[in-house]
Amino acid sequence: MGELQFPTSLGTSTPDRILLMGQDLTDLMGNVGFGELAFWLVALRRPTPGETRVFEAVLVALADHGFTPTAIAARLTYLSAPDSLQGALAAGLLGGGSRFLGVTEDCGGYLHAVLTEHGDDLPADEAGWDALALAAVRRTREQGRFVPGLGHPVHKVQDPRTPRLVAIADEEGLRGPHLRLFEAIGRTHEQVLGRRLPLNGAGVCGAALADLGLPVELLRGFALLARAAGLLGQLAEERRRPIGMDAYLTVDRNAVYVDPALDDRD
Amino acid sequence: MGELQFPTSLGTSTPDRILLMGQDLTDLMGNVGFGELAFWLVALRRPTPGETRVFEAVLVALADHGFTPTAIAARLTYLSAPDSLQGALAAGLLGGGSRFLGVTEDCGGYLHAVLTEHGDDLPADEAGWDALALAAVRRTREQGRFVPGLGHPVHKVQDPRTPRLVAIADEEGLRGPHLRLFEAIGRTHEQVLGRRLPLNGAGVCGAALADLGLPVELLRGFALLARAAGLLGQLAEERRRPIGMDAYLTVDRNAVYVDPALDDRD
Amino acid sequence: MGELQFPTSLGTSTPDRILLMGQDLTDLMGNVGFGELAFWLVALRRPTPGETRVFEAVLVALADHGFTPTAIAARLTYLSAPDSLQGALAAGLLGGGSRFLGVTEDCGGYLHAVLTEHGDDLPADEAGWDALALAAVRRTREQGRFVPGLGHPVHKVQDPRTPRLVAIADEEGLRGPHLRLFEAIGRTHEQVLGRRLPLNGAGVCGAALADLGLPVELLRGFALLARAAGLLGQLAEERRRPIGMDAYLTVDRNAVYVDPALDDRD
Amino acid sequence: MGELQFPTSLGTSTPDRILLMGQDLTDLMGNVGFGELAFWLVALRRPTPGETRVFEAVLVALADHGFTPTAIAARLTYLSAPDSLQGALAAGLLGGGSRFLGVTEDCGGYLHAVLTEHGDDLPADEAGWDALALAAVRRTREQGRFVPGLGHPVHKVQDPRTPRLVAIADEEGLRGPHLRLFEAIGRTHEQVLGRRLPLNGAGVCGAALADLGLPVELLRGFALLARAAGLLGQLAEERRRPIGMDAYLTVDRNAVYVDPALDDRD
């Protein structure tokens, strides 16, 4: 076993130095922001100031949405096990799956697949993007699948995050093909689906992250990082002004017993 | 690194055999019950039929208590990430901390500590146990701490699990010093605390597990194993007859915004 | 909100009674085994003694496989956070996903889908099962997908759990269509795949669970329950004879730094 | 139940607006950094630029330390369940307990307790801080407890993060009483403990966070947030250049079976 080797480009240390991606950690401290570092850790390159601004705007957009199922799960876990903050945080993050937080990854991946299949010769104008989007939505629909990033239960007309993130990316010169394709889907999907749905915030975040060149298979990870900050806020609030006990009692006190013999739905 | 060695007495395998604690797995299958195996895996000895009956009665007692915070957290996680059953189960187990499931471990550990300090010369009759219990409760009270295993929010007079588990242990000849001391605490604590509290089910389970010789530092683990079965039941029911969405919406729709400037309780 | 109702057939309680699936918990304690209860909680019916024996044989088969990635993850988590047994257990269970523990669910689901598509007119003899199996394997192969439950990294000729579980099911009159189809796949796949692979233990467990009528979408849950017992054993052993620190140091001390500029594989 | 109310100061939304702590989310996006937002979510006040710089320096310092037990646990979980990135991230965070990540919280809490007990009349000079520190270390030692934040397995003389973080805090006018007390402990503990230990990075981060006025009971949460970014980096690297399989096989192939009868250490 003398040849055991575990390669890494991340943290290493000697008695008097700590390196992170080959940089001296003491140089990073105070000079590199936290979002910037998160980007760097995944992409193994330091983002530009413009990239950092778009990236952090995404994290800010995804950090907290109030009493989501994951926020409530984290609070209930903290209620049961206040000695283990890490457990409450982990419980909240475990809800970051296909249904809620997954849209960011699904949308980025969808756009990436359409662009990859289309090849390098990208559209030169809005009409070109619209044609590409229309063909993609039509094909997806024919396959009986959904176009990710469309629709929102509350923001039925427009999700306010979408135009804002597009504008920030535009300001920074980072309104790339994923965002342009996503915007074109917003303009054209009604022709196929028969009704107009808003481009949702989770979806536009996925498009923006993909335009930053981040690996599309890991986009969910950035939603989770953003949510970690939001969950900390939720748990801090649970300490100040708890709702976990009331949420639990509301369910428990309104429990209605159903005879198992009648419960034959499965 | 040639001398790398990772010792274990649990599972090992060769191309044609699988061993578990030195037993051929194919001999265990069909001949050893699941609860029996769980005991064996932790204690490294096969329990007797009587021990198995007491042990499984504990697991049955702790498996499910309806809409607990952990059950709701598991259901909300399943709602958010239905693709990851393991995540929902893990989220539910993460609530198995100090406040709810911890009582089993705390109580077993408390009784064990009292008995260890008292030494080998155990009381010979009920009066002797009462004296030992009274001294322990008094000392605990003087230290400003709580006696674990006393009191229950719903079963204010008697927790039905307690006499039942004592009776099963008695039938099997396993009503040992931890249970006897716990029963004596039940008879005597009123003299110190000034009011009569029931011996709760989580506590009596801890006492019974300690009497089985299981390591007191791991008693919480058995409560978690029992709860894993209960959570599977909760998740199966969430599939058949979901309540997660309603629980979430009940909280979300009754959210009331509080100005942060007024939220100065911390 | 006066009409808030959260239906359940599982645990409910009044000040002097605790009910579980409509049964008095004190009747279940001492009379129902833990595996039996786990089946009941999910299926909402009490299994017969034969069903219980097959079910518990499955749980015993899946409980522990030594130093699996999940066992090591649980031990490393316990090393870092020994104050939170629930966190270590949860960390171990979180590895119960598509790659390792998922085979049980995938295999049960695969067999169930083949049988559902085939309809009620099941084969009457071995030749009939072989024909059905051969057609299924051929179709799966043509779709570029894998047949789940075939092959094992260690048990390359025969997985000892497979014949043993089939024999137990046979003894109990529970060798149903899922097991028969799985066995037929074992006899016929070589004609399509060009080489003979063993029917693995995780797969046969999925087949047996499906024959018990348990919901195929939840089969992974039983693998997780089994694994919870195995992980408790691993954590008990980590307390007695720790390997976590050595496992960690083995990786850390053999870390080799790779310049990020060269790490362009993504 | 008409009066159900769940108060929150965090995220709320209407069909056309999303608010976070009373701010329009679209104003936060592009104008507020991610670390800044995380501070704001917990403290319910926007940090100053100087506070943000110190806070982000802490997060950067704690993000990744290479092949820690938590990083390895996350990678092993990803190996087993690559379909669930949230599970791998959660598994890694679950190691954020008392032993490794807990030092930040323990140290901040320790310093806070010493300062609270001392009262408002803080020392005016270094000699005064040294006297306060010496008395605290002495008392802690007499109680048989450890002073958190002292010592490091690798950085035995000086942890490079410590002077760097003190310098950043000083530049921003945020070298407050917790940091000053911690520095004084660094100068004086040798008189009590008989040997000189370095002030470690986790400890100095706890001191700096406490000086920022963040709740000391939640300091572990910031270490977890930082670690979430580090774990994302680890998982991205596991995709590019995996070590999980090798780490697992190294343990598994060097397993040595120990007869349970000999394993009587517990």
Side-chain angles (χ1 to χ4, degrees), chain C residues 45-239:
Chain C
R45 67 176 181 84
R46 183 173 187 172
T48 65
E51 288 173 326
T52 300
R53 184 161 173 253
V54 172
F55 182 65
E56 297 207 280
V58 167
L59 296 181
V60 167
L62 298 175
D64 184 72
H65 299 145
F67 290 131
T68 54
T70 62
I72 304 168
R75 286 175 178 248
L76 289 169
T77 306
Y78 191 67
L79 170 71
S80 296
D83 48 318
S84 172
L85 189 67
Q86 70 270 26
L89 190 63
L93 292 176
L94 287 170
S98 58
R99 194 152 167 187
F100 284 78
L101 283 191
V103 175
T104 297
E105 183 165 301
D106 292 346
C107 187
Y110 175 81
L111 300 170
H112 193 72
V114 171
L115 290 170
T116 301
E117 195 175 322
H118 179 75
D120 287 338
D121 188 21
L122 292 177
D125 55 19
E126 199 166 281
W129 284 108
D130 284 2
L132 181 57
L134 197 58
V137 172
R138 193 160 278 146
R139 206 164 54 246
T140 306
R141 182 68 163 185
E142 285 165 6
Q143 291 163 351
R145 293 187 296 121
F146 289 100
V147 178
L150 283 178
H152 194 280
V154 174
H155 311 295
K156 290 180 194 294
V157 178
Q158 185 178 63
D159 188 322
R161 293 168 292 188
T162 304
R164 177 62 179 143
L165 190 60
V166 171
I168 293 170
D170 196 55
E171 286 164 24
E172 304 297 340
L174 291 163
R175 193 175 173 183
H178 298 85
L179 278 170
R180 288 189 191 277
L181 176 58
F182 193 53
E183 292 176 81
I185 289 174
R187 289 188 299 267
T188 59
H189 70 272
E190 193 176 4
Q191 298 175 46
V192 182
L193 307 185
R195 59 183 179 138
R196 186 168 191 80
L197 295 165
L199 296 174
N200 63 42
V204 77
C205 287
L209 292 172
D211 271 345
L212 292 173
L214 294 164
V216 290
E217 303 84 359
L218 288 176
L219 296 189
R220 183 187 299 193
F222 300 107
L224 292 166
L225 175 61
R227 192 49 56 97
L231 289 168
L232 269 192
Q234 292 281 338
L235 294 169
E237 188 168 270
E238 183 68 17
R239 286 180 55 86

Side-chain angles (χ1 to χ4, degrees), chain A residues 10 12 24 42-43 45 51 56 58 61 70 92 108 120 125 127 146 148 156 168 188-189 205 210-211 226 262:
Chain A
L10 303 178
T12 54
D24 195 305
V42 171
R45 67 177 181 83
E51 288 173 326
E56 297 208 282
V58 168
T70 63
D120 288 339
D125 55 18
F146 289 100
K156 291 179 193 295
I168 293 170
T188 59
H189 70 272
C205 287
D211 270 346
L262 305 177

Side-chain angles (χ1 to χ4, degrees), chain A residues 1 4-20 24-35 37-38 41-44 53 56-67 75 78 83-87 89-91 93-98 105 154-162 164-165 168 205 215 217-222 224-230 232-237 239-243 246-247 249-250 254, chain D residues 1 4-20 24-35 37-38 41-44 53 56-67 75 78 83-87 89-91 93-98 105 154-162 164-165 168 205 215 217-222 224-230 232-237 239-243 246-247 249-250 254:
Chain A
M1 301 288 291
L4 264 185
Q5 290 200 346
F6 297 100
T8 184
S9 303
L10 303 178
T12 54
S13 59
T14 60
D16 55 357
R17 287 184 81 194
I18 301 175
L19 297 178
L20 209 51
D24 195 305
L25 180 62
T26 58
D27 291 337
L28 301 175
M29 290 169 65
N31 294 322
V32 172
F34 179 55
L37 183 79
L41 280 161
V42 171
L44 288 192
R53 185 164 172 250
E56 297 208 282
V58 168
L59 296 181
V60 167
L62 297 175
D64 184 73
H65 299 144
F67 290 130
R75 286 176 178 247
Y78 191 66
D83 48 319
S84 171
L85 189 68
Q86 70 271 26
L89 190 64
L93 292 176
L94 288 171
S98 58
E105 184 165 300
V154 173
H155 312 297
K156 291 179 193 295
V157 177
Q158 186 178 62
D159 188 322
R161 293 167 293 187
T162 304
R164 177 62 179 142
L165 190 60
I168 293 170
C205 287
E217 303 84 359
L218 288 176
L219 296 189
R220 182 186 299 192
F222 300 106
L224 292 166
L225 175 61
R227 191 50 55 96
L232 270 192
Q234 292 281 338
L235 293 169
E237 188 169 270
R239 286 180 56 87
R240 279 194 310 272
R241 204 181 276 274
I243 64 99
D246 277 357
L249 291 175
T250 298
N254 291 286
Chain D
M1 303 289 293
L4 264 185
Q5 291 200 346
F6 296 100
T8 184
S9 303
L10 303 178
T12 55
S13 60
T14 61
D16 55 357
R17 287 185 81 195
I18 301 175
L19 297 177
L20 208 52
D24 196 306
L25 180 62
T26 59
D27 291 338
L28 300 176
M29 290 168 67
N31 294 321
V32 172
F34 178 54
L37 183 80
L41 280 161
V42 171
L44 290 191
R53 183 163 174 252
E56 299 208 280
V58 167
L59 296 181
V60 167
L62 297 176
D64 184 72
H65 298 144
F67 290 132
R75 286 174 178 249
Y78 191 66
D83 49 317
S84 172
L85 190 67
Q86 71 270 25
L89 190 63
L93 292 176
L94 288 171
S98 57
E105 184 165 301
V154 174
H155 311 297
K156 291 180 194 293
V157 177
Q158 186 178 63
D159 188 322
R161 295 168 291 187
T162 304
R164 177 62 178 144
L165 190 60
I168 294 169
C205 287
E217 302 84 359
L218 288 176
L219 296 189
R220 181 186 301 192
F222 299 107
L224 291 166
L225 175 61
R227 190 52 55 97
L232 269 192
Q234 292 281 339
L235 293 169
E237 187 169 271
R239 287 179 56 86
R240 279 193 310 271
R241 204 182 276 273
I243 64 100
D246 277 355
L249 291 175
T250 297
N254 292 285

Side-chain angles (χ1 to χ4, degrees), chain B residues 154-178:
Chain B
V154 174
H155 311 297
K156 291 180 194 292
V157 178
Q158 185 179 62
D159 188 322
R161 294 168 292 187
T162 304
R164 177 64 178 140
L165 191 59
V166 171
I168 292 169
D170 196 55
E171 287 165 25
E172 303 298 340
L174 291 163
R175 192 175 174 184
H178 299 86

Side-chain angles (χ1 to χ4, degrees), chain B residues 114-192:
Chain B
V114 171
L115 290 169
T116 301
E117 194 175 323
H118 179 74
D120 288 339
D121 187 22
L122 294 177
D125 56 17
E126 199 166 282
W129 285 107
D130 284 4
L132 181 58
L134 196 58
V137 173
R138 192 160 280 146
R139 205 163 55 243
T140 306
R141 183 67 163 186
E142 285 165 6
Q143 292 163 349
R145 294 187 296 122
F146 289 101
V147 178
L150 284 178
H152 194 280
V154 174
H155 311 297
K156 291 180 194 292
V157 178
Q158 185 179 62
D159 188 322
R161 294 168 292 187
T162 304
R164 177 64 178 140
L165 191 59
V166 171
I168 292 169
D170 196 55
E171 287 165 25
E172 303 298 340
L174 291 163
R175 192 175 174 184
H178 299 86
L179 278 170
R180 288 188 191 278
L181 176 58
F182 193 53
E183 293 176 82
I185 289 173
R187 289 189 300 267
T188 59
H189 70 272
E190 194 176 3
Q191 298 176 46
V192 182

